[in-house]
Amino acid sequence: MSAVTSTTASAADYDGLLLQGGQWRGRSFTGLRVAVLAPGREAALIVPDVVRTARSVKVFQEEPDWLVAWHLPLPRLLARPAARLSLRWSVPDPWTRRRLTPDGRFNTRRPRVDGRYYAALRQPGCTLITWPVYAFVPDGVRSAEGIEHRVDCIVLGTSSVFATASSREDVPA
Amino acid sequence: MSFDFDAMLQTIKDKQWSLADIDWDAPGAETVTDELRAKMKPFMADLVWIEHVGARGFASLATKAPTPTIRRIYEYFHAEEQKHANAELALMKRWGMLDEDGTPPEPNINVKLAIKVLDEYGDGLPLTGLATLIPLLECALDGALVKFLLDEVSDPVCHQVFRHINSDEARHITVDFQVLELIGAGPLHKLVIESVALLKPQVVLGLIVVFVPLINKMRDNIVAMGLPEQKLYNAVKRFATIGSRGDFTQRIPAYHVLRAQAAMVVDRTSPYHRLLADPMVRLTSLVPARLLGKPQAWVDELTHEPIAS
């Protein structure tokens, strides 16, 4: 269940390199300041890859999701406590951890298997931003804490609230 | 009576503004004289931190929001309060109140206590408590302080910034009280259970040690600036006025407790000041800040830079 209603912001207002769908795969981001706009489950796929080559990465995480480091044959009831433990072990900073914790009442997705996202967020040059993005401008994005974030490249996740209908496809949960 | 929270969320999205919309080097900074600068600096520092702490309050509120839409609204409000703090910090920078690097001012001890309590207990507070406390803080501190500022300063950039901030705050107060209506209309047993949960010693103590002196300390600062404290009191009265308009808000016990407190705050002859609030201001001023430990990383998120690259 998502509370995100229609948005008037359009990625077309951004003049830099805009990557949608799977266009970020296998690409080098050397020297680029990159913004990734995606919910947690998808940022977990994109960010570890982008952070390897980019000069800096700002992760605009639209909604957190549960992640577990390994595939464990756990019953559904234990999947979420396992994800919580995984988060506790991987992210020592309480404020970052708080921003990576999904709202259990509204986010009912099963934890996704991913062992790289939390580590990628701790790389130097990688910043987790959870302020809502409300507009695209020629040089980057503006978020609701009042700041314009200028970047050379925007990677738009397919589940992002800003993904156009044609590029949107469901990412397996 | 049902309020359209979805429409409100859309309005909030449509009304977003950015520090980058404002020309921070526009003429007018010279209207802030050396005398005014010295007088305003502690006041502005308090204002920045109160907005910043208010932002953290909305973050806690989001975890308790009754619906996904209201949660999203609170996430925006969290960001907007941060934006207000950032914009006020940018005004401080414009007026030469910060050092070359724009390092944010140090918060006073009452703000530090509020940060500590929010970090420790904020996310654990039941919805009725937080949802009642936040509109009182918004009415009292934000409403009153902002009016003082606009009376004192003629810089057009300041007025431009506060036109945005006031318009945001009007939406915050509308939503705050609509959520109280929603809570108040809920089942009575839920109201009672949540209210009993609020009687935990750490919550009651938190209110007395943090909130009571925070308001009186701010009043002292305002009086020290030579401004009439009556304006703060008028703003506090708004809390009772708006709350009494609702059909269901008055079913919330926490609302009555805070309204009674607000009534004591605005009555200068009340023993509340002599016996509780003023001694708490003196007592808290003796607390060594290092006892409070390191605050969480959100306190470092303040910035006066409209553009980040």
Side-chain angles (χ1 to χ4, degrees), chain A residues 8 41 51 88 95 118 150:
Chain A
T8 42
R41 56 191 176 279
V51 87
R88 181 69 191 82
W95 184 244
Y118 298 148
R150 292 198 174 157

Side-chain angles (χ1 to χ4, degrees), chain B residues 127-269:
Chain B
L127 177 65
T128 54
L130 266 180
T132 319
L133 184 60
I134 285 186
L136 176 56
L137 269 172
E138 290 212 87
C139 284
L141 301 172
D142 244 355
L145 300 185
V146 165
K147 282 191 184 61
F148 290 139
L149 186 64
L150 293 182
D151 287 348
E152 283 293 296
V153 180
S154 58
D155 180 2
V157 171
C158 174
H159 283 254
Q160 185 192 1
V161 167
F162 279 97
R163 264 196 300 280
H164 285 301
I165 293 183
N166 281 339
S167 141
D168 293 345
E169 292 296 348
R171 279 188 293 281
H172 293 193
I173 295 208
T174 304
V175 170
D176 290 344
F177 281 98
Q178 287 299 336
V179 170
L180 285 185
E181 280 292 283
L182 196 69
I183 298 169
L188 191 63
H189 70 270
K190 199 172 166 194
L191 284 171
V192 171
I193 291 169
E194 287 209 349
S195 304
V196 171
L198 275 176
L199 294 175
K200 283 188 287 196
Q202 63 266 43
V203 176
V204 176
L205 209 66
L207 200 68
I208 293 173
V209 175
V210 175
F211 185 57
V212 166
L214 189 69
I215 287 202
N216 271 46
K217 168 83 178 194
M218 186 51 76
R219 184 210 59 201
D220 293 346
N221 287 356
I222 286 165
V223 173
M225 282 172 61
L227 294 163
E229 58 189 277
Q230 193 56 41
K231 286 194 180 175
L232 175 64
Y233 296 164
N234 289 344
V236 174
K237 278 185 189 152
R238 253 183 93 201
F239 176 71
T241 316
I242 306 178
S244 66
R245 280 189 215 139
D247 295 327
F248 300 104
T249 300
Q250 308 201 39
R251 291 181 74 210
I252 304 174
Y255 169 74
H256 287 279
V257 172
L258 287 180
R259 199 177 65 169
Q261 193 206 354
M264 291 189 287
V265 170
V266 300
D267 176 7
R268 201 67 168 88
T269 62

Side-chain angles (χ1 to χ4, degrees), chain A residues 98 103 105 142 148 150, chain B residues 10 19 21 65 71 123 308:
Chain A
R98 189 185 185 282
D103 188 325
R105 300 165 305 158
R142 288 185 176 181
E148 179 173 316
R150 292 198 174 157
Chain B
Q10 193 58 52
L19 268 68
D21 294 327
R71 183 187 160 97
D123 291 353

